Amino acid sequence: MALRLVAAFLLLCLATAASAQQAVSWKTGREAQGIERRIDALLRRMTLEEKVGQLHLSGRGEGFDVEQVRSGAMGAVMNFVVPAEILAVQKAVRESRLRIPLIIGLDAVHGFSTYFPLPLGQASSWNPELIEKAAYWTGREASAAGVNWTFAPMVDISRDPRWGRTLEGAGEDAYLGSVVAAARTRGYQRGGVATTAKHFVGYGAVEGGRDYNTAWIPTSQLFDLHLPPFKASFEAGAMTAMAAFNTLNGVPATAHRGMLTDLLRGKWGFRGFVTSDFGSITELRLHGIARDDAEAARKALLAGIDMDMMGDVYHNHLAAEVRAGRVPVKAVDEAVRRVLRVKFHLGLFDRPDVDPAAAPKLMQTEAAREVALQAAREGAILLKNADILPIREGVKSVAVIGAMAVPEDERVWTDPAGLGRRAITPLPDALRERLPKDVSVTFEPALTKNCGTEFADREAAIRAAAASDLVVAMLGEDCEFMGEAASRTKLGLPGVQQELLEALVATGKPVVLVLATGRPLVLGWASEHVSAILQTFHGGTEGRAAIADILTGRYNPSGRLPMSFPRSVGQIPVYYGGLPTGRPARPGERYSSVYMDERNEPLYPFGHGLSYSRFTYSSPRVSAASMPLNGAVDVSVDVGNSGPRDGQEVVQLYIRQPVAGRSRPLRELKSFSKVTLRNGETKTVRFRLAAAAMGAHDDRGAYVVEPGQFEIYLGGSSRAAVMVKVSLAKP
Ligand code: NOJ
């Protein structure tokens, strides 16, 4: 018996050791102190060139020089995804004098081998546990292939869908953005890769939504809106940060000492390293703050950029700058210390090299695909449903239209060749599997490619639609229309897709529009003419299976918008958390805050999303009518599912302080909870609301919680109507 117990205990220890080895996190106490001593010892042995090498990040592809790895002149690499190639660079570093392991970075943004919805789509699930799992599997697959650092999560808040990179973030709101940032950080690092909170800071606010453009952000807004998700990511353990491309209030983020050093390291105590963005140090010349690369290197390093991504600027100039006395060697040592610190805390000095034979077995496991399916289901938002979904019994033929329904070239960030990417189920097949045998499902691509720029066989698509009981059109944005460097001023369906949609509607058959986009589009016409709209932000490997689950009613949709959908581009920025004006909108009245030619509200507001069930809210209450500035109250509300199905509701809590020292937003999300309610069930949903979370920053960046009355709104979107009050009193 005793022996068996010992054996069980040993097994448990082994299992714990194995999982502990995989997850990465900041070490604490004696372990952290020991690491500092190892760094001191290593720094003493390093030449200036070897030090600069640790700050040099170069990438796979043309110009990559493995000799730099061997000579200790390169401490970080990126864009390697094939395990055998990673092993080759790891072997090269073992031939270097000090054998300091490489940190190996990759944009594993929403998957590595198994693909999850785009980050904006994950945020749409409003399910932090699920989002964390998606990041976990991404981290795990990437680390099994030898990657140990991801350039994610992007935590930039954006209220501008013209910006192509909205798809990489969590939308428009600081609170949701912070919850998602923390969940993703935890997940990736549990999966074995260090994270990068990016882009520090203000990138989501580039003027006009034009990529790489200038950002002007008032201090109060910087602290209330843009910085919280970074803080949340660091508090969740993010080990690195990436500086943004843009200027922030006139200073390029890559040379912003106030942000990188005074705030990040000084006030927030961040101990990890900061990398530049791709070539952003040399771009300091183009921003007009450096005459040449040497000056750019100097300014970036002294501002607080530790690593030069793909710029060769530190590699070419930093040692000479030190020798000329323009950069103190102490500043270089500090940067190297931060890089080595991350490498030690990551456990790189003790990790074995990647095993290319083992890697494929860890890709696209059943467990990962299950999470991908659930994330795609929960990340899809039903925007409109004129009583057409789920597909009714009387429907005997469905025409699926649109090349995107059959993903031949699914957009993926990385393509880990040789790791056995399995085919993605096409939407028509997924529907056939789920619909009764007597329902016929036909498919016509209509378009040559996912991007929808040109027709393949338009007439065949119209004929198929006309001959069916129900049309499912899968359209949207793909290819070059979304992501980095994909800013748009017109937010309609790209190419010929609007023409296609109108032709499909003209057949007189009910049309369900399934969208896969990277951002909110302007959907005015569609919202009036199609019978249903299901919005997805590219669901990934299991995306079409999830869509089929929703269309057929196997899954009751529960996604909610993380960004407002504008009616017109001219409304942008349109977001739920605006300030009141002195002339509140009175439609038709000239001297009130309205447009002459458009309504003020978005087409679909933040937090919106339909279900096949109807949810009711009643009896909002607080545990006390007032609380001190250091106190908290419990807020509860009864949420009912009045049927006809079981479903999930995202219960959202917003606050407003109607009278304060400065004007406060009309609504601010402060909490949410995704609850499952059976048909006919009512649950009491409780939130803890702390006074400390109800303040705002002033013009100097100081956080102030002001006494006074607050309104608390509870509901299923930012238009939540049920309200209860609480007052904050001076102690
Ligand atoms: C530029 C992007 O801005 C950044 O987010 C990304 O991580 C790097 N390229 C590396 O691919």
Side-chain angles (χ1 to χ4, degrees):
M1 182 65 192
L3 259 184
R4 249 197 255 158
L5 267 181
V6 171
F9 177 71
L10 282 178
L11 268 179
L12 188 75
C13 291
L14 275 178
T16 324
S19 60
Q21 196 183 19
Q22 187 185 51
V24 298
S25 61
W26 288 113
K27 311 283 177 251
T28 52
R30 292 188 112 141
E31 216 178 336
Q33 287 161 10
I35 286 176
E36 295 304 308
R37 284 195 295 276
R38 285 176 79 181
I39 297 172
D40 289 336
L42 198 47
L43 271 171
R44 277 196 293 275
R45 294 174 59 205
M46 292 172 84
T47 64
L48 180 57
E49 277 68 25
E50 283 166 337
K51 288 176 182 172
V52 172
Q54 288 303 307
L55 313 182
H56 175 41
L57 166 58
S58 183
R60 181 183 185 276
E62 217 181 305
F64 181 80
D65 182 3
V66 74
E67 275 316 308
Q68 290 185 0
V69 177
R70 272 194 199 99
S71 66
M74 188 194 298
V77 299
M78 60 189 269
N79 291 349
F80 283 85
V81 291
V82 180
E85 289 185 15
I86 293 184
L87 184 62
V89 286
Q90 286 177 324
K91 282 196 167 141
V93 91
R94 294 200 187 279
E95 292 168 32
S96 67
R97 190 177 77 93
L98 295 172
R99 302 158 61 106
I100 300 173
L102 290 167
I103 188 159
I104 300 167
L106 182 74
D107 289 286
V109 169
H110 63 119
F112 181 78
S113 173
T114 309
Y115 270 81
F116 302 88
L118 290 172
L120 193 60
Q122 294 183 34
S124 306
S125 73
W126 294 57
N127 183 340
E129 289 82 32
L130 186 59
I131 295 169
E132 181 175 336
K133 283 185 194 159
Y136 166 77
W137 283 109
T138 305
R140 216 181 131 143
E141 289 184 347
S143 82
V147 172
N148 51 38
W149 178 30
T150 181
F151 305 131
M154 185 189 100
V155 303
D156 299 313
I157 297 296
S158 183
R159 293 171 164 179
D160 196 333
R162 291 172 297 185
W163 191 48
R165 299 195 77 169
T166 49
L167 63 83
E168 274 181 80
E172 73 181 47
D173 180 68
Y175 179 78
L176 178 63
S178 301
V179 170
V180 173
R184 299 191 70 208
T185 303
R186 281 194 305 269
Y188 279 116
Q189 297 202 164
R190 225 162 32 76
V193 294
T195 50
T196 310
K198 71 185 190 186
H199 304 84
F200 202 67
V201 57
Y203 193 24
V206 284
E207 274 187 339
R210 201 178 76 221
D211 215 349
Y212 318 122
N213 202 6
T214 308
W216 293 102
I217 307 177
T219 304
S220 59
Q221 197 183 47
L222 186 65
F223 278 88
D224 282 340
L225 186 65
H226 296 278
L227 287 169
F230 284 95
K231 195 137 189 278
S233 183
F234 296 130
E235 282 169 4
M239 292 176 136
T240 81
M242 187 187 295
F245 280 126
N246 52 282
T247 56
L248 171 65
N249 301 332
V251 179
T254 303
H256 207 302
R257 198 178 156 83
M259 285 292 124
L260 297 170
T261 296
D262 302 343
L263 179 79
L264 184 56
R265 279 143 187 155
K267 282 214 175 102
W268 290 0
F270 178 61
R271 296 172 296 155
F273 71 82
V274 180
T275 177
S276 76
D277 203 340
F278 200 108
S280 71
I281 300 182
T282 181
E283 288 175 14
L284 294 179
R285 294 179 296 110
L286 302 161
H287 280 296
I289 68 155
R291 271 169 215 86
D292 51 30
D293 277 350
E295 189 174 9
R298 187 162 74 234
K299 287 205 159 166
L301 189 93
L302 295 177
I305 300 285
D306 303 311
M307 194 177 277
D308 174 8
M309 179 195 283
M310 300 300 287
D312 283 349
V313 177
Y314 283 0
H315 174 75
N316 290 335
H317 299 282
L318 207 50
E321 286 299 293
V322 171
R323 293 208 167 94
R326 285 188 289 267
V327 170
V329 73
K330 237 179 122 233
V332 174
D333 283 356
E334 272 317 298
V336 176
R337 172 181 296 280
R338 292 190 282 254
V339 171
L340 293 177
R341 184 181 289 142
V342 169
K343 290 185 174 183
F344 274 113
H345 283 257
L346 261 175
L348 297 187
F349 288 82
D350 313 310
R351 269 198 205 187
D353 289 345
V354 62
D355 176 1
K361 286 179 226 131
L362 297 159
M363 304 296 143
Q364 299 214 2
T365 56
E366 280 312 308
R369 287 183 73 112
E370 247 171 56
V371 173
L373 177 63
Q374 193 57 19
R377 284 171 171 161
E378 295 200 28
I381 310 119
L382 185 63
L383 293 178
K384 173 181 177 177
N385 185 15
D387 215 14
I388 192 97
L389 291 176
I391 297 174
R392 301 266 181 272
E393 266 177 28
V395 170
K396 293 295 167 213
S397 56
V398 178
V400 178
I401 311 290
M404 214 167 337
V406 179
E408 281 193 355
D409 56 348
E410 172 72 344
R411 182 197 161 90
V412 290
W413 230 273
T414 52
D415 193 357
L419 290 182
R421 262 179 58 209
R422 272 195 263 155
I424 296 167
T425 318
L427 182 57
D429 294 359
L431 283 172
R432 273 183 210 114
E433 270 172 34
R434 289 161 179 78
L435 288 167
K437 290 280 160 291
D438 64 337
V439 179
S440 75
V441 178
T442 54
F443 169 64
E444 280 298 332
L447 307 158
T448 53
K449 286 190 295 181
N450 288 4
C451 352
T453 40
E454 54 184 16
F455 282 113
D457 192 340
R458 179 185 187 275
E459 296 322 312
I462 308 305
R463 275 197 305 276
S468 70
D469 294 337
L470 180 74
V471 181
V472 173
M474 185 161 177
L475 306 174
E477 282 184 311
D478 208 337
C479 321
E480 71 275 19
F481 288 99
M482 53 185 218
E484 186 180 344
S487 299
R488 300 180 59 202
T489 62
K490 300 175 187 68
L491 295 182
L493 287 163
V496 296
Q497 295 180 92
Q498 180 65 26
E499 184 188 333
L500 173 63
L501 186 63
E502 292 184 18
L504 294 173
V505 168
T507 63
K509 295 302 164 88
V511 175
V512 173
L513 174 61
V514 176
L515 286 166
T517 69
R519 67 180 113 219
L521 294 183
V522 171
L523 298 175
W525 190 91
S527 73
E528 280 174 28
H529 294 92
V530 303
S531 301
I533 304 176
L534 181 67
Q535 169 70 40
T536 75
F537 294 104
H538 289 264
T541 305
E542 298 295 332
R544 277 105 189 139
I547 291 167
D549 280 344
I550 292 174
L551 298 185
T552 58
R554 278 200 189 184
Y555 180 75
N556 188 352
S558 68
R560 302 290 183 264
L561 291 180
M563 259 183 112
S564 308
F565 272 47
R567 289 171 189 276
S568 311
V569 171
Q571 289 181 308
I572 296 170
V574 57
Y575 53 95
Y576 83 92
L579 300 183
T581 69
R583 301 276 178 97
R586 281 187 296 276
E589 200 164 310
R590 184 89 193 263
Y591 294 97
S592 73
S593 181
V594 290
Y595 293 106
M596 295 178 72
D597 55 0
E598 185 54 279
R599 289 161 63 175
N600 282 12
E601 321 81 63
L603 184 61
Y604 299 112
F606 176 82
H608 168 77
L610 302 173
S611 159
Y612 296 148
S613 305
R614 281 189 38 248
F615 299 105
T616 56
Y617 286 77
S618 57
S619 311
R621 49 207 187 269
V622 283
S623 56
S626 89
M627 61 171 151
L629 289 177
N630 57 0
V633 279
D634 288 327
V635 183
S636 355
V637 63
D638 296 340
V639 186
N641 177 353
S642 51
R645 288 164 175 264
D646 300 349
Q648 285 167 290
E649 167 71 327
V650 178
V651 182
Q652 301 163 41
L653 182 155
Y654 296 84
I655 63 162
R656 179 183 179 197
Q657 187 169 23
V659 183
R662 52 192 294 140
S663 204
R664 299 290 306 276
L666 292 163
R667 296 268 161 116
E668 276 179 272
L669 183 71
K670 286 294 163 192
S671 199
F672 62 86
S673 173
K674 192 162 189 173
V675 292
T676 301
L677 291 163
R678 285 194 310 280
N679 181 6
E681 188 184 14
T682 296
K683 271 186 187 166
T684 299
V685 180
R686 291 193 175 78
F687 299 96
R688 183 106 182 125
L689 184 61
M694 296 165 78
H697 290 87
D698 67 15
D699 291 332
R700 288 169 300 121
Y703 186 67
V704 186
V705 182
E706 274 193 69
Q709 274 270 305
F710 280 81
E711 296 163 354
I712 304 170
Y713 293 89
L714 295 143
S717 84
S718 54
R719 294 195 180 143
V722 164
M723 197 258 277
V724 59
K725 290 185 183 175
V726 70
S727 63
L728 288 196
K730 288 202 181 98

